[in-house]
């Protein structure tokens, strides 16, 4: 069957092969990051709501289970926006645990909603929380993450430190650097202090490797990336190599690729679902989804005809992403 909310599995160096659940169904986020790979946020909001009912997501997941796929290593809440904005997130987590009792659940989050103690309480049910924090300098935070009104990076940092005290699972922090946006020494110094207080289980410092929403947002050079990694690695870490035994312990900016079993009649849906969430080249799609390159090119041509395909060139690579219905 075709899926709206279940996608992947996706391969991540941080958590291995993970099946994604999209809790928003469209681009609903409390931020509109300049580097966002799913494109410009359509609904910029900090309001929680039932953007997609938990029952619908779980129905799809149950179907996916019945199709008898190879089980992933994780089920990850993420997708087209900020998953914690879905007020039925706790029902989704509980439902996953019922369907897959031994499967760890991960949540990708920009952490803005974690200033709400209720959201922190709900996230205690997850096994791994992967927050991002790009800048603790308020002006940089506003420039790179373009958050909704009233979002304060210092309050988010405090909320994360509070969460660390209560949470028995693992926290994998990600810092994404963009040249001229958040690579200042002031930010590095604040982040160093924050990381030492948070003591995450793992810290990943990455830079842009795929097109984001703003052309002018570019990657930092390798010297800057290396310096940040060194300084933030120096922060106390509870267990740096604590990820599952995937053989991949560090995430580089472009190592997260979809990995989907099979081809056949599902290829169209899977390719479309994959590029709706992350721009990729035809070769990356073929390798990651285990679909012959010719079939990928056919699907891309079909999508182009329907006017949904968006093509961007970065260096020698041509990236494809897919517009949602109704977008121009
Ligand atoms: S990168 Fe994440 S937090 Fe930023 S706009 Fe995209 S979905 Fe939202």
């Amino acid at each position: 069957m075709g899926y709206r909310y279940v996608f992947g599995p996706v391969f991540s160096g941080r958590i291995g092969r993970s099946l994604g659940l999209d809790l928003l169904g469209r681009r609903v986020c409390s931020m509109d990051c300049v580097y966002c790979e799913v494109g410009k946020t359509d609904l910029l909001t900090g309001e929680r709501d039932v953007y997609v009912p938990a029952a619908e997501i779980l129905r799809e997941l149950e179907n996916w289970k019945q199709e008898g796929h190879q089980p992933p290593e994780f089920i990850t809440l993420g997708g087209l926006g900020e998953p914690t904005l879905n007020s039925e997130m706790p029902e989704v987590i509980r439902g996953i645990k019922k369907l897959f009792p031994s499967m760890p659940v991960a949540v990708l989050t920009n952490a803005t909603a974690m200033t709400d103690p209720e959201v922190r309480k709900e996230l205690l049910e997850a096994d791994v929380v992967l927050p991002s924090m790009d800048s603790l300098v308020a002006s940089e935070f506003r420039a790179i993450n373009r958050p909704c009104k009233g979002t304060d990076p210092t309050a988010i940092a405090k909320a994360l430190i509070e969460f660390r005290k209560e949470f028995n699972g693992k926290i994998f922090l990600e810092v994404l650097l963009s040249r001229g946006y958040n690579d200042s020494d002031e930010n590095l110094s604040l982040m160093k202090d924050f990381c030492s207080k948070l003591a995450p289980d793992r810290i990943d410092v990455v830079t842009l490797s795929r097109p984001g929403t703003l052309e002018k947002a570019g990657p930092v050079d390798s010297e800057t990336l290396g310096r940040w990694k060194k300084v933030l690695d120096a922060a106390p870490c509870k267990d740096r190599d604590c990820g599952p035994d995937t053989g991949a312990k560090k995430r580089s900016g472009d190592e997260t690729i979809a990995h989907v079993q099979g081809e056949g009649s599902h290829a169209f849906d899977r390719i479309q679902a994959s590029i709706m969430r992350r721009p990729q080249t035809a070769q990356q799609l073929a390798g990651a989804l285990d679909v012959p390159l010719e079939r990928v090119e056919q699907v891309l041509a079909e999508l182009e005809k329907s006017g949904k395909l968006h093509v961007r060139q970065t260096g020698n690579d041509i990236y494809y992403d897919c517009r949602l219905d109704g977008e121009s």
Side-chain angles (χ1 to χ4, degrees):
M1 70 168 282
Y3 293 99
R4 282 188 71 185
Y5 309 115
V6 174
F7 64 97
V10 168
F11 181 76
S12 154
R14 295 192 289 176
I15 53 174
R17 192 168 165 272
S18 105
L19 187 70
L21 294 187
D22 181 358
L23 267 63
L24 287 312
R26 59 198 173 109
R27 292 188 300 239
V28 180
C29 194
S30 48
M31 289 179 167
D32 183 19
C33 303
V34 295
Y35 56 77
C36 184
E37 291 172 353
V38 299
K40 193 159 173 40
T41 298
D42 293 319
L43 178 58
L44 182 65
T45 181
E47 291 295 313
R48 303 187 84 200
D49 205 341
V50 187
Y51 293 102
V52 182
E56 276 189 45
I57 297 168
L58 294 169
R59 204 175 304 124
E60 279 199 5
L61 188 61
E62 194 165 2
N63 281 330
W64 189 89
K65 185 184 173 189
Q66 279 166 2
E67 283 180 357
H69 299 271
Q70 188 194 341
E73 291 170 279
F74 268 88
I75 293 184
T76 303
L77 312 192
L80 289 170
E82 170 52 39
T84 60
L85 289 181
N86 189 328
S87 52
E88 292 199 347
M89 178 180 72
E91 284 85 345
V92 175
I93 297 177
R94 263 176 249 136
I96 297 169
K97 302 249 172 201
K98 247 188 180 167
L99 283 168
F100 297 91
S102 56
M103 182 80 61
V105 175
V107 182
L108 284 166
T109 179
N110 63 23
T112 49
M114 290 175 74
T115 53
D116 176 350
E118 187 55 36
V119 174
R120 295 202 296 272
K121 197 169 147 208
E122 291 171 12
L123 284 170
L124 295 177
E125 304 292 321
D127 299 284
V128 180
V129 172
L130 300 102
S132 55
M133 174 56 79
D134 299 329
S135 184
L136 285 164
V137 178
S139 57
E140 291 183 4
F141 175 79
R142 280 196 301 276
I144 190 165
N145 299 121
R146 302 188 295 185
C148 60
K149 250 189 167 174
T151 314
D152 169 21
T154 309
I156 298 169
K158 271 192 193 148
L160 277 166
I161 292 165
E162 204 49 46
F163 181 67
R164 171 74 290 173
K165 292 180 199 157
E166 306 153 344
F167 183 50
N168 291 324
K170 293 184 189 304
I171 296 180
F172 294 174
L173 179 74
E174 181 175 270
V175 183
L176 186 142
L177 296 176
S178 179
R179 189 187 54 241
Y181 277 93
N182 64 333
D183 54 349
S184 67
D185 287 346
E186 184 185 2
N187 190 28
L188 180 55
S189 157
L190 291 170
M191 288 297 292
K192 182 176 188 307
D193 185 46
F194 166 60
C195 289
S196 79
K197 287 183 178 137
L198 180 65
D201 297 277
R202 174 176 173 137
I203 301 169
D204 291 86
V205 182
V206 300
T207 191
L208 283 85
S209 62
R210 284 182 289 258
T213 54
L214 273 197
E215 296 290 341
K216 65 175 183 167
V220 295
D221 59 34
S222 56
E223 191 271 321
T224 305
L225 191 64
R227 188 161 55 89
W228 273 69
K229 279 186 175 181
K230 202 167 165 202
V231 173
L232 296 188
D233 276 352
C237 218
K238 285 173 77 182
D239 177 9
R240 174 144 300 279
D241 282 333
C242 56
D245 188 20
T246 60
K249 299 294 186 193
K250 285 266 183 181
R251 180 184 184 205
S252 70
D254 62 354
E255 73 177 343
T256 307
I257 51 172
H259 180 86
V260 177
Q261 299 286 311
E263 192 234 320
S265 59
H266 296 325
F268 185 96
D269 290 341
R270 284 172 162 171
I271 289 168
Q272 180 172 252
S274 191
I275 58 175
M276 265 171 67
R277 292 167 176 93
R278 180 173 299 123
Q280 289 160 84
T281 65
Q283 288 77 9
Q284 283 173 338
L285 284 163
L289 303 188
D290 202 13
V291 173
L293 184 58
E294 270 173 30
R295 179 69 183 121
V296 171
E297 286 169 348
Q298 273 171 5
V299 171
L300 293 173
E302 284 172 53
L303 286 168
E304 189 156 26
K305 264 193 229 151
S306 69
K308 287 183 183 172
L309 199 68
H310 189 207
V311 185
R312 272 187 281 187
Q313 180 139 11
T314 302
N316 292 327
D317 297 319
I318 298 175
Y319 284 85
Y320 300 91
D321 68 81
C322 189
R323 291 153 197 251
L324 299 169
D325 286 339
E327 283 186 310
S328 57

